[in-house]
Amino acid sequence: MSILITRPNPAGKALAQRLIDAGKTAFQAPLIEITAGRELSLLDAKLKGLRAGDCVFLLSKNAVSYANWQLNQLQQSWPDTLFYYGIGQSTAKDFQHLSSLPICYPEQGETSEDLLDLPALNQVKNKQILLLRGNGGRDLLATTLSQRGAIVDECECYQRLFIHYSPEDFALQWEKAQVDTLVVTSGEMLQQLFDLVAESKKAWLLNCHLLVVSERLATIAKTLGWETVTVAESANNDALFHALI
């Protein structure tokens, strides 16, 4: 098995090295890079605009790290009068480590659907909810919470920027390296990977074993033409590592 990790750094680099240390053949070609979000400077004001008992949703580990960095620059702390929700366990644990505050998260899964299944989120009428997120992505959380009566605001704490590769060189390089397993952790990266590879190399791409992080991504992958798709238990590196091992 020769594995190509497409998730962004630093997580992608860490996973590749962990696999190499375990004796696997692993490479890394991140499809996106992460930078500060265009609304990060508004975070402090948005937090201060919330009332006691309102909610803050942290939708990725990147949202946690960039938001926490911004508050540190202003010598501010996370307000302890708010309720915090994490998209999954790894995001929640990062937040707990940095803030020492409690946070709710789904015990199983790391998707918007899993988060929306939490019983407390059925009672959000008239609550203000601030979503800390990146650019793009899905609108399911904002739409569903608004339908349940919440007043939803968002803050783009980080942004994902596509890394551009030569379509011919990309596929040729990894086919020569005998890559037969791909790790993709978001829908936008899955589509980007599919669009990146030239038609003449699509057979190689679609014959690779694909590891994704949700049933939703598996469905998209099969629609695009992949036949062998595995779903990891969650999106964190531990789950991806164990699925690959």
Side-chain angles (χ1 to χ4, degrees):
M1 182 167 59
S2 185
I3 306 160
L4 181 63
I5 312 295
T6 67
R7 78 178 320 176
N9 288 322
K13 184 176 182 180
L15 178 58
Q17 188 59 55
R18 187 171 172 184
L19 289 163
I20 291 168
D21 292 343
K24 298 294 185 183
T25 302
F27 305 96
Q28 188 204 8
L31 294 174
I32 60 174
E33 62 177 339
I34 306 297
T35 63
R38 292 165 292 187
E39 298 177 329
L40 188 57
S41 62
L42 305 178
L43 173 64
D44 186 48
K46 286 178 179 283
L47 287 172
K48 288 177 177 174
L50 298 175
R51 305 161 299 193
D54 285 336
C55 306
V56 176
F57 283 54
L58 298 123
L59 302 187
S60 73
K61 296 175 72 171
N62 288 315
V64 172
S65 59
Y66 275 95
N68 193 72
W69 177 87
Q70 177 68 12
L71 292 177
N72 284 342
Q73 297 304 300
L74 300 173
Q75 298 184 322
Q76 298 291 323
S77 335
W78 291 94
D80 60 6
T81 58
L82 304 174
F83 290 107
Y84 293 94
Y85 290 88
I87 192 72
Q89 185 179 67
S90 57
T91 297
K93 287 190 172 181
D94 275 10
F95 176 78
Q96 285 177 316
H97 173 72
L98 292 170
S99 69
S100 299
L101 292 173
I103 182 170
C104 298
Y105 59 91
E107 293 293 333
Q108 299 292 328
E110 298 190 6
T111 68
S112 297
E113 288 87 350
D114 297 320
L115 186 54
L116 287 165
D117 280 342
L118 291 176
L121 297 184
N122 287 314
Q123 308 295 328
V124 293
K125 188 173 182 179
N126 297 324
K127 281 190 177 293
Q128 292 189 75
I129 292 178
L130 178 62
L131 306 180
L132 306 188
R133 57 177 296 171
N135 61 316
R138 306 169 70 199
D139 293 322
L140 179 65
L141 269 173
T143 300
T144 304
L145 292 168
S146 295
Q147 290 171 347
R148 293 178 183 178
I151 303 160
V152 180
D153 190 16
E154 300 182 354
C155 184
E156 183 193 288
C157 293
Y158 69 97
Q159 55 181 326
R160 299 176 289 260
L161 303 177
F162 288 137
I163 297 174
H164 297 286
Y165 295 95
S166 161
E168 295 80 10
D169 294 344
F170 183 89
L172 186 61
Q173 176 184 358
W174 301 120
E175 187 178 29
K176 281 186 175 180
Q178 298 183 317
V179 165
D180 58 7
T181 303
L182 305 168
V183 179
V184 182
T185 54
S186 78
E188 65 180 347
M189 285 191 287
L190 184 62
Q191 187 66 55
Q192 182 192 2
L193 178 62
F194 181 82
D195 293 341
L196 170 63
V197 173
E199 285 299 323
S200 61
K201 295 294 182 182
K202 279 288 197 296
W204 161 77
L205 179 71
L206 297 175
N207 282 330
C208 285
H209 182 179
L210 183 67
L211 178 64
V212 295
V213 297
S214 71
E215 293 293 344
R216 182 182 68 88
L217 290 189
T219 300
I220 294 171
K222 289 172 182 175
T223 300
L224 290 172
W226 270 280
E227 294 185 1
T228 308
V229 183
T230 299
V231 181
E233 289 188 0
S234 73
N236 62 62
N237 273 358
D238 284 344
L240 294 171
F241 177 80
H242 289 300
L244 291 163
I245 291 297

